[in-house]
Amino acid sequence: MEMYAERLKRKKNRDAKRVMNRYRFIEEKTTQVSDDERGWGRVRLDEPSRLMLRSWVMEAKKNAKKRFDARGDAIRAQVKQTLLKMPPEDDWFYKREMRLEGNSIDVEGDY
């Protein structure tokens, strides 16, 4: 039993070394890029530039929210269309639980 435990311990150490070497290799590759190669260095902005950047960021956030809301509206419309195709008379085919779960998702999505 002790030999088995010792082999497991050695295997665990070997695997850990492999993982560490893999991460070290990735780290070396990413840290070799200097500021000159990226084309940036330390950037100093005056007040008008800061205001312009802030307005761009705010506009980007607004656009992202609009896209998110539009996607949510499309999903809610799709759920409603699917539920309309599942009347209670067809519970034998669609199963009652599925229809009720769809209704709860529809109500939950409206909040």
Side-chain angles (χ1 to χ4, degrees):
M1 186 68 178
E2 290 176 18
M3 282 179 38
Y4 178 71
E6 185 63 34
R7 280 191 306 191
L8 281 178
K9 189 175 180 181
R10 277 186 276 152
K11 183 182 181 324
K12 184 179 175 184
N13 287 339
R14 270 195 318 265
D15 292 345
K17 285 180 184 177
R18 284 185 191 140
V19 169
M20 291 302 292
N21 286 337
R22 193 175 308 141
Y23 284 124
R24 196 173 299 123
F25 175 75
I26 292 170
E27 234 177 56
E28 288 171 1
K29 287 288 190 183
T30 57
T31 56
Q32 288 177 355
V33 177
S34 69
D35 287 340
D36 294 334
E37 291 176 20
R38 277 188 252 149
W40 302 97
R42 187 167 178 89
V43 178
R44 295 177 191 213
L45 301 173
D46 55 353
E47 194 59 32
S49 299
R50 284 190 188 134
L51 291 174
M52 185 170 52
L53 285 175
R54 284 187 186 137
S55 69
W56 287 349
V57 169
M58 286 175 38
E59 195 65 31
K61 286 181 181 180
K62 285 180 191 175
N63 289 336
K65 185 176 179 345
K66 283 181 189 175
R67 286 193 309 270
F68 181 79
D69 291 343
R71 179 74 175 137
D73 292 341
I75 290 172
R76 279 190 284 283
Q78 187 178 7
V79 167
K80 287 182 183 184
Q81 287 295 324
T82 304
L83 285 173
L84 289 174
K85 295 177 184 176
M86 298 171 66
E89 297 85 35
D90 291 340
D91 277 350
W92 63 272
F93 183 75
Y94 293 112
K95 304 235 186 275
R96 181 173 185 248
E97 294 84 24
M98 184 183 292
R99 182 177 54 80
L100 293 177
E101 184 179 348
N103 284 331
S104 69
I105 289 173
D106 185 30
V107 168
E108 196 176 305
D110 287 338
Y111 289 119

